């Protein structure tokens, strides 16, 4: 399998953590996505990463869907439950964390623009998503299964990216239980191995 990615992508990191947890990391060749040779736009018309090309040539886009595919074919813990209600709980918690992460990425991109080009309304809008979303993630944590799931991995990648870029820096004060959970979870070998 070929995974088109960049080392700093929290979405790509989510896929790499999943590959390790599912015993597939040795079967995934990681290739740089932002090179002319990658022709990412031909694999994903949205020109977004990560992109996985399976051994039989299927192209899988969007990190959550790639993780679901790896969960189907790999060994190790089941990251997406098969029972419908349990599955919805994981997918919904994952969606909340992914939404917060999306807002954090947009804030990071806005930071990189020239000051005169930045939209304060846009910044406030995204920051509200982070400020509301992180405590909501904490409220969901207790209902997640004790073992690792796709939601746990997405939570961790979101919080890692926030810490890395100092966005939502007060999140540990508003969500101390989430902070304590993250401090323990980030010691997992799959997270240590993928930290850029």
């Amino acid at each position: 399998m070929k995974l088109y990615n960049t080392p700093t992508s929290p979405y790509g990191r989510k896929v790499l953590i999943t590959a390790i947890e599912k015993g597939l990391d040795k079967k995934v060749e990681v290739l740089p996505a932002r090179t002319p040779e990658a022709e990412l736009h031909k694999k994903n018309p949205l020109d977004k990463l990560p992109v996985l090309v399976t051994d039989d040539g299927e192209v899988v886009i969007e990190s959550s869907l790639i993780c679901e595919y790896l969960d189907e074919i790999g060994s190790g813990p089941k990251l997406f439950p098969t029972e419908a209600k349990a599955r919805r709980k994981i997918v919904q918690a994952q969606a909340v964390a992914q939404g917060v992460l999306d807002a954090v990425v947009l804030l990071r991109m806005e930071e990189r623009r020239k000051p005169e080009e930045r939209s304060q309304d846009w910044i406030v809008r995204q920051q509200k998503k982070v400020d509301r979303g992180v405590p909501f993630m904490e409220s969901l944590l207790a209902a997640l299964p004790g073992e690792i799931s796709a939601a746990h991995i997405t939570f961790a990648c979101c919080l890692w990216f926030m810490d890395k870029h100092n966005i939502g820096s007060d999140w540990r004060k508003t969500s101390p239980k989430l902070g304590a959970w993250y401090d323990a979870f980030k010691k997992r070998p799959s997270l240590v191995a993928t930290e850029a």
Side-chain angles (χ1 to χ4, degrees):
M1 290 179 283
K2 291 179 169 51
L3 179 70
Y4 292 88
N5 190 33
T6 63
T8 56
S9 168
Y11 306 102
R13 186 179 186 211
K14 183 168 97 162
V15 171
L16 292 171
I17 291 168
T18 300
I20 292 169
E21 293 288 346
K22 297 301 294 186
L24 295 168
D25 48 310
K26 302 288 189 282
K27 297 181 179 180
V28 176
E29 179 185 4
V30 181
L31 298 169
R34 297 294 181 206
T35 63
E37 302 79 33
E39 296 187 313
L40 190 67
H41 66 283
K42 291 184 179 178
K43 297 170 182 67
N44 180 354
L46 304 175
D47 197 30
K48 292 172 71 175
L49 54 87
V51 171
L52 182 75
V53 180
T54 68
D55 289 338
D56 61 3
E58 180 184 357
V59 177
V60 186
I61 64 172
E62 209 285 310
S63 60
S64 297
L65 186 59
I66 296 170
C67 291
E68 194 166 346
Y69 172 77
L70 296 176
D71 192 40
E72 289 169 9
I73 67 167
S75 58
K78 197 77 178 144
L79 303 176
F80 292 88
T82 51
E83 192 274 318
K85 189 171 184 180
R87 178 183 172 76
R88 281 195 304 277
K89 184 187 298 182
I90 295 301
V91 171
Q92 182 153 297
Q94 176 185 242
V96 170
Q98 189 94 355
V100 173
L101 177 57
D102 291 345
V104 172
V105 168
L106 291 171
L107 286 167
R108 172 75 178 138
M109 291 171 68
E110 195 72 9
E111 265 182 5
R112 297 168 74 181
R113 297 175 69 169
K114 294 176 185 174
E116 65 272 16
E117 294 176 348
R118 295 176 191 163
S119 165
Q120 196 56 41
D121 288 344
W122 179 254
I123 291 168
V124 168
R125 183 176 175 198
Q126 300 313 316
Q127 190 61 55
K128 282 181 180 177
K129 293 177 188 177
V130 175
D131 294 343
R132 290 188 303 252
V134 172
F136 192 60
M137 286 165 59
E138 182 177 70
S139 76
L140 295 172
L141 194 59
L144 294 179
E147 64 275 9
I148 188 171
S149 71
H152 291 105
I153 293 170
T154 310
F155 278 31
C157 289
C158 175
L159 298 172
W160 163 74
F161 198 77
M162 288 174 64
D163 281 353
K164 181 174 178 153
H165 296 290
N166 200 29
I167 295 172
S169 55
D170 287 341
W171 73 267
R172 288 172 187 273
K173 290 179 187 170
T174 59
S175 304
K177 290 178 185 172
L178 186 64
W181 168 82
Y182 174 61
D183 288 340
F185 190 79
K186 70 181 181 180
K187 294 174 184 171
R188 287 181 78 90
S190 60
L191 276 82
V192 172
T194 57
E195 188 161 4

